[in-house]
Amino acid sequence: MKVAGYEIPPVFSLLIWIGLWEVAGRMDLAFILPPFSSVLGELTTLIVRHDFLAAAWQTFQAFAIGMFFAITGGIALGFIMGTNKTANSILGMWVNIFASAPLSSVVPVLMLLFGLGQLTVVVIVVLFSIWIIALDTYAGVHHTSNSLKEMGRSFGANKTQLLFKILFWAALPEILAGVRLGLIRAVKGIVIGQLLLSVVALGRMFRTFSDNFQFEEFWALTLILFVFALLFSTLIGRLESKVEYYAGTRD
Amino acid sequence: PSAFAQDKGTMRVAFGDVPGGEMTNFMIAVARAEERGVKVETVFLKSEDLAAQAIVSGDADIGVGTPYGLIQRVNAPIRMFYQLSMLRFYPVANAEKYKTWKDLDGAKVAVHGRGSGTEALMQVMAKAHGVKYESVSYVPGSGVRAGALMQGRIDVSIVDYERKRLLEREAPGKFVFLDIPDIKATDEALYANTNWLQKEEAAVAILVEELIKTWREINEDPSKIVSLRDKYNVLPDIEKVEVDELLPAFKQGVSINLFPSNGGTAASVQEDFDFFTTSGSLEGNAADLKVNDFWYLGPATAATAKLDAN
Amino acid sequence: MTTTTSPGVVSAESSEGTAGLKLSGLQLRLISIVGFFLAWEISGHVPISPAFPTFSGTMMAMFEMIFDGSLFLAYFETLKPLLLGVGISAFFGVTIGVSMGLNKKSRWLWEPIFVVLQASPVAALIPLITYAYGIGITAKTVAVIILASPIIVLNTYKAVGNASPVLVQMSRAFQGTRMQEIWKVIIPNAAPVIFAGLRLGVAAGFIGVILAELLITPTGIGDIISYNRSIAKYPHMYAAVLSIIVFSAVMVGMLEKAEVKYFRPEKKRGQ
Amino acid sequence: MNKAIHMSLPDATTPTDPSANIVSVRGITKFYGSDVHALEDVNLDFPTGQMTTLLGPSGCGKTTLLKIIAGLLETTSGEVMVKGKAVTSPGPERAFVFQDFALLPWATVTRNVAFGLELTGVPLKEREAKAKSYIDKVGLSGFEDKYPHELSGGVRQRVGLARALAVDADVLLMDEPFSAVDEQNRRKFQEDLLHLLSVENKTVIFVTHSIEEAVYVSDQIVLLSPRPGRIHSIIRPELDRSSSPDDIRRDKVYLDTVEEIWGNIREYLD
Amino acid sequence: MNKAIHMSLPDATTPTDPSANIVSVRGITKFYGSDVHALEDVNLDFPTGQMTTLLGPSGCGKTTLLKIIAGLLETTSGEVMVKGKAVTSPGPERAFVFQDFALLPWATVTRNVAFGLELTGVPLKEREAKAKSYIDKVGLSGFEDKYPHELSGGVRQRVGLARALAVDADVLLMDEPFSAVDEQNRRKFQEDLLHLLSVENKTVIFVTHSIEEAVYVSDQIVLLSPRPGRIHSIIRPELDRSSSPDDIRRDKVYLDTVEEIWGNIREYLD
Ligand SMILES: Nc1ncnc2c1ncn2[C@@H]1O[C@H](COP(=O)(O)OP(=O)(O)OP(=O)(O)O)[C@@H](O)[C@H]1O
Ligand SMILES: Nc1ncnc2c1ncn2[C@@H]1O[C@H](COP(=O)(O)OP(=O)(O)OP(=O)(O)O)[C@@H](O)[C@H]1O
Ligand SMILES: [Mg+2]
Ligand SMILES: [Mg+2]
């Protein structure tokens, strides 16, 4: 949008929304919505609290471990589906079901199976993100142009070379897109899991804050999570744009 | 004292709630038990049924709640062994619309959960006053119900004494608290698997002793809750609002006999049977139920005897 | 009928000419389903945990709930906020998305906020909904809306924004008005992607409604799950979870079929 | 005729007879943004009823020029006259045939062919009848109810052609209409097109990369220089179009013209 | 030479001299699945050092035949002999040039050209030196560090050609190498290719849709009939390749051959 001849980047429209929030908060329209400025104020005190740091660290650990398994597992799954027809017709169905299943209903069951500790949270991260990574990887492998594969074979590539010198790189843009979506889903999964179980720290904080009507803290915590999710997806988005030039040039 | 500091076993306690000021007395007792060599790990789950599930599946050793229905239905070898607090709930209604129990005919009521003590209480009262609710909906968490009440989203509910204080403080005059007869029933108890209780007899004995000791101390002088919390540095992270509430809350709690001082007896269990059969959580006739099918009173009896002897 | 290489005897599924004994995709899938249930049954007998029922037990519980009607009642309860929420999200989401695709100012205003909502764990806000919208169907509908609408808006916006410039030019070259361009070219052109967005919206809405039923007030399927857990009737709990997964898979699958049937004739042929 | 090929640099000041030239462009310059200079002062006349080809190396601005004539792009300066009147937007007297066909994937062949009429509000019955007649004319009978994805490239382009013919414009603008059609069908299509145009009496402005195609189909060939596109030369191959396609392709004039143009273009290639 | 064009139907029983024909195919039949019959009993010889073109209507099985020769597809029956030995998989004596170039989008021109060598384990230094020499030969000097997306179609195909040349195979298999290159650059490329091959002494099997291209570049043209592909005829245009490209294109033999093939193919078109 242009104002007085200057191009204003779209992100600035967020400022309008934040402004509305601030006004609504100051007018006391709803008691759950404190002014944005006081949320920001709470933000600084929140992030130095040691229970927050412990909670964040614990959550991040589960997140990192889970993502590691989801990424490796998802890519492997995608490659198996992309290179083997039989595997695809079996796995494809399951992956598609789980990718769109209401996993929030599974969370109560997971605790029964994986206990009360970090393991459950790790499993939630994996469960929320692995399917989309597998699907995207599969799409990348599946759509790798036939002539690229044939090129490899005609110049004498063996299976390993085909996989690591051609297929992997050809599928990379889709893999990265899958990882980005997987990360977003994992963050959502962690929040859903912690809200439903309160096993791990952040969920506990959410619950405490909302029970005690501490809405500044509540929004501050939400804001941190949002920023975290956006940060991660932007980072992966950066990587993605680095390989974008060749995602567009092939069929 | 060093002789006591040796390892007496580990116990994992599963709460059906997030940590809050109302757990301070329990955590003090835990800290004292730890001084005597019992290691206690705590997990905080979203709801009581999750805690029960953790005990059933063996993920935790001790649960917090009143799983009468569970014990009767699943035939699980689970027994309660320590009575933590008495049922103290306060039916509340929007003062603009309702004044007495009689007005509640055809009202929409929100309680904690299906089969919960809160539902039981509301149903018992309805029966007693001959009214019929239009619907009963389930809204877990006294805090949530209090919030919804303040927002005018619900008009009739039932809250714990802590939220009652909150409602009185935040919106004086807006709500009426309906009177209920003195009810003698357990709100929260500790329970565990019988095998585990036998295996960890020593550790359980220590924990129960410290619980009773602490409960008695606080019943004698509620202000001790603050000094003991500082001394043992329990729940250092609870919110400031909760810290401020600590003393008044416990003072009032003591004044209404919230904290039984002997950990449960055959008589208190019998009272539970009366209440929970009326409410429908337990099936059958109160007189036919056997204490030993639900409670393992050994540790509490022993500890009371020991402490009384001193 | 003596050689396997002669044309005509091999199923069309297999690409290689000699695969007379190969199983079709459908058969493989059925086998994998049976295998899954078998593994479940066995591990239920082991047992993994006292709270892990067998498959047969779960199915018994499922039939019990089907025959006493409680499952249908529960679905009725669950589908109300779901359909309402998805319907509202679809109406406003598509409207906002189309306006974003057609109008720069609208895009400037809405795009960042929906990108943020899409990328963030908005589920965290569900506990707050109760304070704002109470505990009834409104709150649950709102939960569905906040989860379902970002994906619907963004898909619609992308579809409309990326409307084939060649087709738009074609419409202009034949003196189509702006309205004709929008209604006869841009929207039909975007329809498949918009519909795909609705499908994703339904999937997100399912997550939202279950979450709301578990977090706000237990009704419908969420109530079956949490109530049966609280009284340790684990087979019933598992039956409810299984049924909702199957139900959503079927529903999303049907939407996908409809999408292919009505919007993507080229895909239908290809498969 | 002695001199088979006329070459001339156009002269903007020469008064042209508006009835002889249905389309004229005057002093057209086009910039994309501030630094892509696509066309520089192009002056051209398109004689009524004739076929003019725009030829030149890739990126020289052929498509740009054609779209400016169609009214789909604005000029930076200069103007387009159609039947003596300056125009800046698409009009009923011009119809466009797109390189990549631009068919509606969700519409049948009949609806696609009738789409131009649909946009101008012709009633359903009438436009379907009209579409049908052009479907027959371009040799698509039997394909009426098919969808574009069921057709091969050559057939799709015939649909695009029928659509342009159906609106009954005087001028057909074609941007590399055969580039997505395979070589052999293309050759057939060229012959069919010439035949059709001899019956329909249209003015055609045609963009192509193929020198042979240009020489084979055109009355007038405009050779453009690389970016910024300027007119390099205008060539009028005086072929005897009454002879058979095969004879034309071995005609000395044809071969000379191809060779000459090739000689001119070759220097621009990479 | 009196008779410019030899036409013959191949005879599978004629004994052929294996040293004269580097590649031979015998009785090749190919089904895709059970109902797509792509090729039917194809027998062909490819003389060493010569350029053979496969020509035929779309879908007649040209690509299929070429891929079978490359060892990329299995036959349903029949066999491919390379240097007298039956082969069923790709081998170092054959190199493929792809219609859509098949370049690695993430690799520079140098790495792409050296990719065939990389796969066979040639050390980095050596293969880069070799790649460089072929990059120069196909006229790509200066493009070494560019990525495919930065190149035009014509330039990309030169990279594909250099890659095939770099592995030093005896036989080059080319599937419509120019179809994605624009017409004018294509013509230039044809000339360059002929020149390059006269130096390199390769056997080339070439698929194309363009009759002119086939006649212009080939020693031997194999005309295939529509699906299932069978050999329709084999034509050897005896052109004098020492004359200039422009002269060749107006040579009577050239024009006659084009016309004749066109006459044959035309009947198959839609
Ligand atoms: N929308 C645009 N923005 C910026 N530059 C453009 C745009 N469209 C075309 N150009 C540039 O303008 C020049 C002329 O483009 P145009 O498409 O008219 O060429 P052309 O002669 O049709 O090329 P081709 O033979 O490849 O179709 C090219 O250099 C092109 O890169
Ligand atoms: N993988 C495949 N599965 C089934 N049918 C195929 C497959 N590949 C090719 N065909 C069919 O086999 C026939 C021959 O195909 P091929 O690609 O060899 O033809 P072509 O002569 O190269 O055609 P074009 O000139 O269009 O490139 C075609 O009818 C095609 O549809
Ligand atoms: Mg162009
Ligand atoms: Mg082919």
Side-chain angles (χ1 to χ4, degrees), chain E residues 58-64 67 99 175-176 207 209:
Chain E
S58 199
C60 72
K62 305 180 291 296
T63 300
T64 305
K67 286 194 175 159
Q99 178 171 14
D175 188 8
E176 302 191 43
V207 170
H209 265 117

Side-chain angles (χ1 to χ4, degrees), chain D residues 58-59 61-64 99 175-176 207 209:
Chain D
S58 199
K62 304 182 290 296
T63 300
T64 305
Q99 177 172 12
D175 189 8
E176 301 191 43
V207 170
H209 265 116

Side-chain angles (χ1 to χ4, degrees), chain A residues 64-112:
Chain A
I65 298 170
M67 275 321 289
F68 172 78
F69 286 111
I71 291 174
T72 46
I75 292 177
L77 208 55
F79 268 96
I80 292 171
M81 283 160 58
T83 50
N84 182 314
K85 264 196 177 168
T86 315
N88 183 34
S89 62
I90 300 174
L91 293 173
M93 173 187 64
W94 294 102
V95 170
N96 271 304
I97 288 179
F98 284 118
S100 62
L103 291 174
S104 46
S105 69
V106 183
V107 173
V109 167
L110 294 179
M111 231 192 66
L112 292 172

Side-chain angles (χ1 to χ4, degrees), chain B residues 77 159-160 263:
Chain B
V159 294
D160 61 14

